[in-house]
Amino acid sequence: MNEISKLAPVAIWENFQKLCDTPRPSTKEEAVLQLLEKMADDKGLSHFRDSGQNLVISVPATPGYEDRKMTILQAHVDMVTQANSGSTHNFDTDPIRMQMDGEWITADNTTLGADNGIGAAAMMGFMTEDGLEHGPLELLFTVDEERGLTGAMNLEPGRLKGEILLNLDTEDEYELCVGCAGGGDLVATFNYSPEAIGAGYVARDIALTGLKGGHSGIDIILGLGNANKLMARFLRTAIRDFDARIVAINAGTARNAIPRESFATIVLPESKIGGFDTALKAFAGDVRDEIGTIEPNFAIASKDADLPETAMSAADSKKFNNACVGAPNGVQAMSTSVEGVVETSINLAIVKLADGTAKVTLSARSSINSARDAIREAATAVFELIGASVAWGDAYPGWKPNANSEVVEMMKSVHRDMFGKDPEIRVIHAGLECGVLGAKYPHWDMVSFGPTIKRAHSPDECVHVPSVARFWDYLLAALKAIPTKG
């Protein structure tokens, strides 16, 4: 193991190294589940998987804490798989390569998986470390959170015995999360008939790169560039002014990540290349003027490509691109009850177009179910206007704050004792599993917290090393303060 695994607390970093060494994309968590099961077997801890493939490991109370309420520690084991263009990383087989950058740890051109690997590693610490003081624990490792919270959605009611849930999946220390938005996706499919390309055409590859990307819930308020929206905007100019036709588009990889890059291939009359190049340069300058302060590395460029045999028709190119231009994206409404919190948003996440089929994935979020579905209806209407078929994914509920939460009051008290100040109480615009889990187990008293993680869901993801140590100490102190039964 490298030097990172020897950082303090070893209980977290040694286990996080094990997670980084074990591929764990969403829906492909079998290897990491087997790792956790073997660790439990080595310690003689009972465990089971439910029908949703969520893993529950029971850890007995340490002497003197047998009378405490049973507490569930919960994290998801899958990670978002994003890599910079040019990276050869295979998330199905390759380990994540961690690297130090001062007080921060990041990965080599890929997402790090600190979301939610640090939380999972902390839970593993209760299997590997002797002498920790706590009451009876259930360690709930959920699967497939990043793709749509499907592990939590398929959690079997009645199997877990705990009364308190500590979710370890938020990303700013000194904060307690007590509520979150719900969400739902939609996929628009547009079928078209490729047509032959006439004489006098040339092909161009367009690469739009350098955007920061990020979490489509947490970071949506920042006004970052969306590669799909920017590419659609330029293609509108190319189609309208230079008779371009679309051959292919490949942009975005995850519904819950703001797309950082977009790659498109077009054909256009050779006689219009000069004007096209001038327009591309002007567009790049316009975008830098608009968002250059927050997206300083934005770039767009084109190069000659091999001329394909077919492309979208001119009419279909215009029709499909107009839908992408017109589709809603970004913050739609701010909360009227919690200052500074996004209420409703939508992310134009993925665009894939080739060989007669174009698919567009959008992900909506809101703390109000009707508002979530209203913005999905708006996006649906845009794509239905061009004759696309639209399918909605299952929606997941938000998490309504509990004004009478015993565990939140306990966590606040422990925080004051440890850090000399109250934690910030937050409701976040992201889809934590707590909303789904609370619907399965409505009696659970829940709170979410974690160390500081920046730019999750992008290759710039990083975790603050000192905050991990404080997070661990806070978790240990909280477990010692869990109320007694009865």
Side-chain angles (χ1 to χ4, degrees):
M1 294 185 180
N2 61 30
E3 292 302 310
I4 292 175
S5 66
K6 299 177 183 177
L7 291 170
V10 173
I12 287 184
W13 291 112
E14 202 171 68
N15 287 312
F16 186 57
Q17 180 71 64
K18 294 175 185 176
L19 294 176
C20 287
D21 289 341
T22 308
R24 49 191 179 95
S26 299
T27 75
K28 298 178 180 179
E29 302 96 341
E30 182 59 30
V32 73
L33 293 175
Q34 289 185 12
L35 167 70
L36 295 167
E37 287 170 333
K38 184 179 185 306
M39 291 174 63
D41 289 338
D42 289 345
K43 285 290 188 177
L45 301 174
S46 64
H47 58 84
F48 67 88
R49 288 197 215 180
D50 70 2
S51 58
Q53 291 302 300
N54 303 293
L55 175 63
V56 179
I57 299 173
S58 297
V59 181
T62 49
Y65 289 84
E66 297 90 347
D67 62 343
R68 304 303 174 92
K69 290 183 177 180
M70 183 175 288
T71 300
I72 302 146
L73 303 184
Q74 187 266 321
H76 62 85
V77 295
D78 62 318
M79 64 175 284
V80 168
T81 53
Q82 291 266 298
N84 286 321
S85 58
S87 171
T88 60
H89 189 90
N90 185 337
F91 285 99
D92 290 347
T93 58
D94 298 343
I96 300 296
R97 295 181 294 274
M98 290 189 284
Q99 51 195 23
M100 290 286 296
D101 182 7
E103 291 188 340
W104 297 84
I105 290 175
T106 186
D108 180 16
N109 277 312
T110 70
T111 37
L112 175 63
D115 170 20
N116 186 209
I118 295 295
M123 291 162 58
M124 293 161 70
F126 292 92
M127 294 191 281
T128 59
E129 300 299 305
D130 296 323
L132 303 180
E133 298 175 284
H134 56 78
L137 301 177
E138 290 178 313
L139 310 180
L140 171 58
F141 297 94
T142 51
V143 299
D144 199 22
E145 188 268 358
E146 300 290 8
R147 195 176 63 96
L149 291 87
T150 56
M153 287 183 176
N154 291 317
L155 183 70
E156 293 181 20
R159 298 289 302 272
L160 285 93
K161 308 304 180 186
E163 300 178 61
I164 291 170
L165 177 84
L166 304 184
N167 169 277
L168 309 180
D169 191 22
T170 46
E171 298 166 1
D172 289 288
E173 67 170 332
Y174 308 127
E175 293 183 355
L176 297 178
C177 181
V178 299
C180 70
D185 305 336
L186 65 148
V187 178
T189 302
F190 179 68
N191 295 313
Y192 62 95
S193 296
E195 294 185 356
I197 298 167
Y201 275 75
V202 294
R204 281 290 180 95
D205 287 334
I206 306 170
L208 192 157
T209 60
L211 299 175
K212 293 178 180 177
H215 192 293
S216 66
I218 300 297
D219 297 325
I220 202 78
I221 196 172
L222 301 178
L224 299 170
N226 179 301
N228 284 323
K229 294 298 286 187
L230 291 172
M231 179 63 84
R233 176 175 158 187
F234 176 70
L235 288 180
R236 179 168 169 79
T237 297
I239 292 166
R240 181 191 63 214
D241 297 343
F242 306 107
D243 298 327
R245 293 163 57 188
I246 301 171
V247 176
I249 299 175
N250 184 12
T253 60
R255 60 164 190 79
N256 53 5
I258 300 169
R260 302 172 295 109
E261 299 173 331
S262 176
F263 302 95
T265 300
I266 62 168
V267 294
L268 72 163
E270 186 174 13
S271 62
K272 299 196 175 185
I273 280 293
F276 171 86
D277 288 342
T278 299
L280 183 67
K281 184 176 180 180
F283 174 75
D286 289 343
V287 173
R288 291 189 189 101
D289 286 343
E290 293 167 19
I291 60 173
T293 55
I294 58 173
E295 294 283 14
N297 298 317
F298 163 79
I300 187 169
S302 75
K303 64 179 182 180
D304 293 335
D306 293 335
L307 189 67
E309 294 183 359
T310 62
M312 254 187 167
S313 69
D316 281 345
S317 293
K318 180 179 180 180
K319 187 186 300 184
F320 175 75
N321 190 68
N322 279 351
C324 292
V325 171
N329 179 73
V331 174
Q332 304 296 304
M334 299 296 291
S335 173
T336 57
S337 57
V338 184
E339 185 177 355
V341 172
V342 176
E343 176 198 277
T344 305
S345 74
I346 190 165
N347 179 41
L348 185 64
I350 303 170
V351 177
K352 305 287 185 183
L353 182 153
D355 302 324
T357 301
K359 287 192 175 183
V360 180
T361 301
L362 300 97
S363 180
R365 301 176 188 268
S366 184
S367 53
I368 302 174
N369 290 343
S370 60
R372 173 201 65 207
D373 290 344
I375 195 60
R376 287 205 287 179
E377 290 286 9
T380 297
V382 169
F383 284 97
E384 286 183 344
L385 281 173
I386 67 167
S389 61
V390 180
W392 285 22
D394 291 336
Y396 56 88
W399 169 25
K400 184 178 180 179
N402 175 9
N404 300 310
S405 170
E406 181 183 36
V407 69
V408 170
E409 291 304 314
M410 178 274 292
M411 295 291 289
K412 288 165 63 175
S413 176
V414 171
H415 196 281
R416 283 192 295 269
D417 291 343
M418 289 194 68
F419 305 117
K421 60 182 179 180
D422 282 326
E424 183 178 347
I425 305 300
R426 289 192 63 201
V427 176
I428 65 171
H429 188 66
L432 287 175
E433 290 165 290
C434 293
V436 179
L437 298 174
K440 301 277 186 174
Y441 291 85
H443 67 284
W444 281 354
D445 195 356
M446 303 184 293
V447 69
S448 179
F449 62 105
T452 296
I453 298 169
K454 299 296 186 185
R455 295 180 291 281
H457 299 188
S458 85
D460 294 325
E461 179 186 6
C462 56
V463 59
H464 189 231
V465 174
S467 77
V468 173
R470 290 188 287 268
F471 159 69
W472 176 246
D473 290 341
Y474 184 38
L475 173 60
L476 295 181
L479 290 176
K480 290 174 67 175
I482 292 293
T484 57
K485 303 172 188 176

